[in-house]
């Protein structure tokens, strides 16, 4: 690190680089062979519930999560998925999505995600660019993957998907795989873990390569610099976005209970905060602003909230000041993911 840092900003005149003023985080040695899934599960905690579906109330325990990740990874190996194969995920926020992510990267395969709202043409374009060999899709989205001529794993088998030739397996079938058949894969931290696509705000959307070490570094920073109190958190940012991906895997490593909403609705979000007595909220800037403007906020008991994490874009100082005026003791953090930064 440069020695000529401007104390107020961390800017180095000599290198033209901004350095963090925080103490450096402690990362695993770069030469150590380590995958993201193993690292996430290496953190010990005594939390029982990992995920809750806000709409149905369905829950997934940490014990079941660990089993399902290993069983699904075994099932993917049985289907012929190998290290460096790309797997497409087209799913809304569900409690199974983080399990799918961790299973894919645990066998050295690479995740690419697509917005469920993308058209068939947009999916075909991403498939042509990222070259996946398989797709996970909800039944109502499976036609988008099949239009790109991909074999599909359905998250559930429901009508009108009745033809067995239209999919290779269901998620529940793969969860029944014998975990004793799992074959360990040698994965280095510099191996690619994800190929997530930008939104295309300033041009065509682009796939961004991130390594296991990239994600390990982000998870480590989250754990080492966050409040040690266990979170009961609501995540309404989409899990196909890098912010949602990061937040979900970090929550697992920290031992949080994460409540997921498949479809965002502002009043329902407030009701869920009240119902589950959440202390942490992960949101995007438009929702942050809505918390300062909407009269609905006063109709719900949000007193359990202690922390708000906002990512996806920068917040204006005015919006932050307005929220602090409403919630004086609120801890507000802004999250930025540098996906292509090698640590």
């Amino acid at each position: 690190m440069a020695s000529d840092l401007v104390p107020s900003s961390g800017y180095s005149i000599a290198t033209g680089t901004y350095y963090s003023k925080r103490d450096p985080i402690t990362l695993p040695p770069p030469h150590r062979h380590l995958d993201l899934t193993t690292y996430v599960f290496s953190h010990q905690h005594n939390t029982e519930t990992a995920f809750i579906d806000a709409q149905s109330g369905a829950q997934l325990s940490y014990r079941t999560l660990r089993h399902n990740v290993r069983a699904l990874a075994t099932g993917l190996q049985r289907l012929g998925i190998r290290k460096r194969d790309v797997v497409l995920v087209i799913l809304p926020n569900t409690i199974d999505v983080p399990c799918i992510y961790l299973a894919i990267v645990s066998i050295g395969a690479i995740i690419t995600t697509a917005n469920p709202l993308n058209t068939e043409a947009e999916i075909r374009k991403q498939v042509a660019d990222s070259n996946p060999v398989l797709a996970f899709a909800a039944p109502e989205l499976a036609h988008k993957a099949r239009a790109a001529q991909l074999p599909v794993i359905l998250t559930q088998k429901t009508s009108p998907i009745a033809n067995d030739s239209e999919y290779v397996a269901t998620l529940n079938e793969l969860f029944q795989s014998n975990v004793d058949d799992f074959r360990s894969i040698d994965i280095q931290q510099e191996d690619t873990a994800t190929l997530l696509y930008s939104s295309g705000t300033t041009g065509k959307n682009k796939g961004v390569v991130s390594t296991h070490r990239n994600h390990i570094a982000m998870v480590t920073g989250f754990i080492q610099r966050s409040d040690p109190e266990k979170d009961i958190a609501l995540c309404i940012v989409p899990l196909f976005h890098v912010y949602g991906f990061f937040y979900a895997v970090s929550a697992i490593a920290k031992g949080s209970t994460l409540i997921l909403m498949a479809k965002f609705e502002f009043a329902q979000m407030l009701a869920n905060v009240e119902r589950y007595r959440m202390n942490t909220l992960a949101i995007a800037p438009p929702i942050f602003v809505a918390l300062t403007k909407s009269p609905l906020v006063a109709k719900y008991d949000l007193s359990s909230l202690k922390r708000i994490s906002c990512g996806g874009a920068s917040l204006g100082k005015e919006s932050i000041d307005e929220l602090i005026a409403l919630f004086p003791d609120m801890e507000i953090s802004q999250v930025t993911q540098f996906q292509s930064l090698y640590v």
Side-chain angles (χ1 to χ4, degrees):
M1 182 178 295
S3 60
D4 63 330
L5 301 185
V6 178
S8 60
S9 65
Y11 179 71
S12 168
I13 299 174
T15 66
T17 303
Y18 284 92
Y19 293 89
S20 172
K21 296 186 289 181
R22 296 185 176 186
D23 293 333
I25 60 176
T26 303
L27 293 173
H31 61 271
R32 177 185 168 191
H33 289 206
L34 180 65
D35 64 272
L36 174 62
T37 303
T38 299
Y39 182 73
V40 165
F41 282 146
S42 69
H43 295 80
Q44 300 298 316
H45 51 73
N46 57 8
T47 310
E48 180 177 347
T49 303
F51 296 100
I52 300 174
D53 182 280
Q55 182 175 358
S56 68
Q59 299 187 14
L60 184 68
S61 69
Y62 271 98
R63 181 178 180 179
T64 301
L65 173 66
R66 287 174 177 268
H67 173 272
N68 285 357
V69 167
R70 180 56 62 94
L72 179 55
T74 304
L76 289 173
Q77 289 180 327
R78 189 175 70 246
L79 291 174
I81 305 304
R82 301 174 180 176
K83 185 176 180 179
R84 299 187 183 89
D85 282 345
V86 177
V87 178
L88 174 65
V89 180
I90 317 174
L91 290 171
N93 285 9
T94 73
I95 60 177
D96 289 322
V97 172
C99 174
I100 293 170
Y101 288 166
L102 293 179
I104 292 170
V105 297
S106 73
I107 60 174
I110 300 166
I111 300 164
T112 189
T113 61
N115 187 334
L117 297 178
N118 282 0
T119 65
E120 288 186 9
E122 289 170 325
I123 296 294
R124 285 197 299 268
K125 179 181 176 182
Q126 182 172 334
V127 167
D129 186 64
S130 59
N131 196 30
V133 298
L134 181 72
F136 283 86
E140 67 275 13
L141 300 170
H143 66 280
K144 297 183 179 182
R146 289 197 300 273
Q149 299 183 331
L150 285 178
V152 178
I153 295 175
L154 292 179
T155 51
Q156 55 183 322
K157 183 179 179 181
T158 58
S159 181
I161 307 296
N163 185 347
D164 289 353
S165 66
E166 294 182 336
Y167 61 93
V168 297
T170 66
L171 196 56
N172 284 336
E173 289 170 352
L174 295 181
F175 283 158
Q176 307 309 311
S177 302
N178 186 349
V179 297
D180 292 335
D181 294 335
F182 177 80
R183 301 187 305 276
S184 296
I185 305 296
D186 182 31
I187 299 173
Q188 301 182 47
Q189 294 181 57
E190 292 305 323
D191 287 336
T192 300
T194 62
L195 179 60
L196 305 182
Y197 278 71
S198 68
S199 61
T201 305
T202 58
K204 295 181 179 179
N205 59 335
K206 296 168 283 292
V208 181
V209 172
S210 295
T211 67
H212 287 261
R213 189 163 177 80
N214 290 151
H215 292 295
I216 287 170
M218 290 196 293
V219 170
T220 303
F222 179 85
I223 294 173
Q224 293 186 8
R225 290 173 175 166
S226 63
D227 192 305
E229 178 187 10
K230 293 297 173 64
D231 292 332
I232 302 174
L234 178 63
C235 180
I236 57 175
V237 294
L239 296 181
F240 66 79
H241 188 275
V242 62
Y243 181 22
F245 179 95
F246 154 76
Y247 201 85
V249 296
S250 296
I252 296 170
K254 187 179 178 182
S256 303
T257 295
L258 200 60
I259 292 91
L260 296 170
M261 292 177 63
K263 184 178 181 181
F264 172 73
E265 201 280 321
F266 187 70
Q268 189 59 51
M269 180 197 79
L270 300 176
N272 285 329
V273 172
E274 180 179 89
R275 174 187 178 187
Y276 291 102
R277 303 301 299 162
M278 299 169 189
N279 57 22
T280 305
L281 189 60
I283 56 178
I287 303 169
F288 187 100
V289 174
L291 285 171
T292 69
K293 306 291 187 184
S294 175
L296 289 175
V297 173
K299 297 182 179 181
Y300 295 89
D301 179 5
L302 308 182
S303 59
S304 62
L305 272 181
K306 297 181 179 179
R307 294 175 289 277
I308 291 180
S309 173
C310 188
S314 299
L315 288 169
K317 183 178 183 302
E318 180 181 345
S319 296
I320 296 174
D321 290 341
E322 287 177 351
L323 191 73
I324 291 175
L326 293 172
F327 303 97
D329 298 324
M330 188 71 67
E331 176 187 316
I332 300 171
S333 61
Q334 294 195 66
V335 180
T336 302
Q337 292 81 29
F338 296 97
Q339 290 174 265
S340 57
L341 175 63
Y342 283 77
V343 179

